[in-house]
Amino acid sequence: MEKLEHPPKIKIRTSLIKENVRKILNRFNIETVGITKGVCADLKIAKAMIESGINILGDARIRNLIKYKRNFVVDLMMIRIPMKSETDKVIKYTDYSLNSEISIMKELSKEAEKQNKTHKTIIMIDLGDRREGIMPENLIPFLQKTIDLPNLEIKGIGTNLGSFSGVLPTQKNTQKLVELKNKTEKELKTKLPIISGGSTINLKLLEENKLPEQINQLRIGEGILLGTAGTQNRKIPYLNQNTIEIEAEIIEHNKKPSKPKGKTGKDAFGKKQKFKDKGKIERAIVAIGKQDTSPNNLKPKDPKIQILGASSDHTILDITKTNKNYKIGDKITFKPSYSDMLRAFTSPYIRKEYH
Ligand SMILES: *Cc1c(COP(=O)(O)O)cnc(C)c1O
């Protein structure tokens, strides 16, 4: 097939991603698992993480981890609690998994015996976000049923905050995890050496010296990849934000009224749209749409450009206020949020360009 080199494209600056890893590793004394689900386990980005000091790569999809197993020698962590139907692959291709179901752990144990391997697991605790994890008071009975499962090593406990309900980590709720570990170790006369305390949002607590020091592992994706913490609406000041950008090309440039004309129904995605009457405005259409990313959230690098909306393949911009004289064929650069980035990497229509 002919090589297609046209936009839209994702521009990836791997050296800045490496710098983000080094900044986190040098600044904090905590084991950092590099999480790559936001970039569809892009091999060059994963390699950049490893080259800058990451020793464990984590991803939510087993196919991504299988790809890593074929390319890298680092430890691999399955960060979505495993499906029953993939336990054999989890054992075969990964070193660690996060778990919250006894029946799945029994399956993992059986598979590990079959494959003559030992697999390490971290038990997830729900500290309030109400995504995965057992309730703290259930940890001891849970461990009593799983601790002796053959070929499984329970290495510690962990939690995930911020992702589903947006509950933020605090000194108080993370301290709960430490207390739970201490109490459980004492009561069951066991050791839980790892406390995997969370993700990018926990960096804030670390910076403020409020993350209990027994929490010795974080699983970081967004901070490394974009230098941001979306849930906290935060640019992490010591990290690079211009790591990953999206570029699209102008295919129409026209002066048209800002208001649609005619009786309006729902748009192509079932939503009723509203438009302010700003008279005639300068509009540009760029060739990128909902098949490529979530265009409504993108941030144009030229702050005078405003995104009016998007359909599957078109994104409509108001460029009235810009000083630049945009022409057909010009490229517009956008900064993606985490979800824009995730969708862009998932789209087969966007080309990746490494710098
Ligand atoms: C996605 C995910 C992470 C990483 O989150 P970031 O906000 O990208 O740092 C960590 N742990 C689990 C379980 C996840 O699903």
Side-chain angles (χ1 to χ4, degrees):
M1 208 179 102
E2 218 168 326
K3 214 166 169 213
L4 299 174
E5 303 224 311
H6 55 72
K9 67 184 175 198
I10 309 173
K11 285 207 254 179
I12 304 156
R13 299 194 178 91
T14 43
S15 60
L16 297 185
I17 292 173
K18 281 186 183 177
E19 218 174 88
N20 282 354
V21 171
R22 289 198 198 101
K23 292 238 168 93
I24 292 171
L25 295 184
N26 292 339
R27 200 177 176 102
F28 308 112
N29 180 27
I30 193 161
E31 180 174 56
T32 303
V33 182
I35 305 297
T36 56
K37 65 184 193 224
V39 292
C40 276
D42 182 275
L43 277 181
K44 291 201 176 75
I45 294 178
K47 186 159 170 272
M49 286 190 187
I50 295 169
E51 284 172 357
S52 44
I54 292 289
N55 297 318
I56 311 180
L57 283 178
D59 202 281
R61 309 285 169 150
I62 194 68
R63 59 192 285 170
N64 291 343
L65 294 160
I66 294 174
K67 191 167 80 175
Y68 286 160
K69 186 78 182 176
R70 297 197 176 118
N71 285 278
F72 305 128
V73 290
V74 291
D75 274 355
L76 301 177
M77 178 185 277
M78 178 68 178
I79 62 164
R80 181 169 69 185
I81 50 172
M83 292 186 267
K84 198 171 172 188
S85 48
E86 66 188 358
T87 45
D88 54 339
K89 307 281 190 312
V90 170
I91 294 299
K92 186 163 176 199
Y93 294 104
T94 78
D95 303 281
Y96 289 89
S97 60
L98 307 181
N99 284 282
S100 64
E101 287 290 343
I102 293 171
S103 62
I104 297 288
M105 290 182 65
K106 285 183 177 160
E107 289 292 322
L108 289 170
S109 164
K110 247 197 287 181
E111 270 301 328
E113 271 193 291
K114 221 196 288 179
Q115 297 182 29
N116 200 17
K117 289 181 106 175
T118 44
H119 181 78
K120 299 188 263 292
T121 125
I122 291 172
I123 309 303
M124 294 302 273
I125 311 293
D126 183 345
L127 289 183
D129 198 52
R130 305 292 178 252
R131 203 178 75 178
E132 77 275 42
I134 60 173
M135 295 301 286
E137 62 272 21
N138 295 337
L139 179 62
I140 289 179
F142 185 99
L143 287 177
Q144 283 165 334
K145 294 194 189 90
T146 49
I147 211 157
D148 293 325
L149 286 171
N151 300 47
L152 278 197
E153 278 180 40
I154 298 178
K155 287 302 241 185
I157 56 176
T159 196
N160 196 67
L161 288 162
S163 295
F164 175 60
S165 315
V167 172
L168 298 174
T170 59
Q171 194 165 19
K172 202 167 152 206
N173 61 18
T174 48
Q175 184 61 37
K176 270 246 167 70
L177 216 51
V178 175
E179 284 161 21
L180 191 61
K181 165 199 151 96
N182 292 340
K183 180 170 159 240
T184 310
E185 284 187 333
K186 214 152 128 198
E187 212 156 301
L188 297 183
K189 299 199 169 46
T190 183
K191 283 274 171 244
L192 298 167
I194 299 175
I195 309 190
S196 192
S199 58
T200 298
I201 40 171
N202 291 66
L203 289 175
K204 187 93 198 293
L205 280 184
L206 255 186
E207 290 158 29
E208 295 166 348
N209 274 320
K210 287 183 186 157
L211 193 75
E213 60 181 38
Q214 294 92 330
I215 292 186
N216 52 11
Q217 182 184 82
L218 291 180
R219 309 172 306 270
I220 310 257
E222 184 180 350
I224 293 172
L225 299 167
L226 289 173
T228 54
T231 332
Q232 292 157 316
N233 202 9
R234 184 165 95 102
K235 284 185 189 161
I236 301 171
Y238 47 92
L239 299 179
N240 300 306
Q241 280 85 41
N242 48 349
T243 43
I244 291 173
E245 290 171 346
I246 293 178
E247 201 178 273
E249 185 173 317
I250 299 181
I251 51 174
E252 187 188 292
H253 179 189
N254 218 329
K255 227 176 183 159
K256 294 193 211 177
S258 60
K259 286 275 278 188
K261 184 172 178 214
K263 197 166 175 308
T264 56
K266 289 179 178 163
D267 70 6
F269 290 83
K271 287 221 179 93
K272 187 97 183 162
Q273 299 289 356
K274 282 212 180 86
F275 296 97
K276 262 199 238 152
D277 192 356
K278 298 188 275 185
K280 276 198 172 176
I281 56 171
E282 269 195 67
R283 304 161 74 103
I285 299 179
V286 283
I288 190 168
K290 292 186 180 175
Q291 287 215 41
D292 308 293
T293 183
S294 34
N296 287 310
N297 304 330
L298 291 172
K299 279 215 166 60
K301 264 185 109 174
D302 178 343
K304 302 256 172 70
I305 295 179
Q306 196 199 341
I307 296 180
L308 296 172
S311 56
S312 316
D313 315 292
H314 303 78
T315 297
I316 326 295
L317 311 175
D318 179 351
I319 57 169
T320 314
K321 295 208 175 99
T322 61
N323 325 318
K324 270 189 82 179
N325 187 16
Y326 287 108
K327 299 182 301 295
I328 298 299
D330 281 354
K331 317 287 186 290
I332 304 286
T333 307
F334 301 90
K335 277 179 153 343
S337 69
Y338 187 83
S339 72
D340 309 336
M341 172 182 74
L342 178 98
R343 291 184 52 178
F345 272 89
T346 313
S347 170
Y349 298 107
I350 300 200
R351 199 163 56 80
K352 293 175 196 89
E353 194 178 272
Y354 303 87
H355 294 262

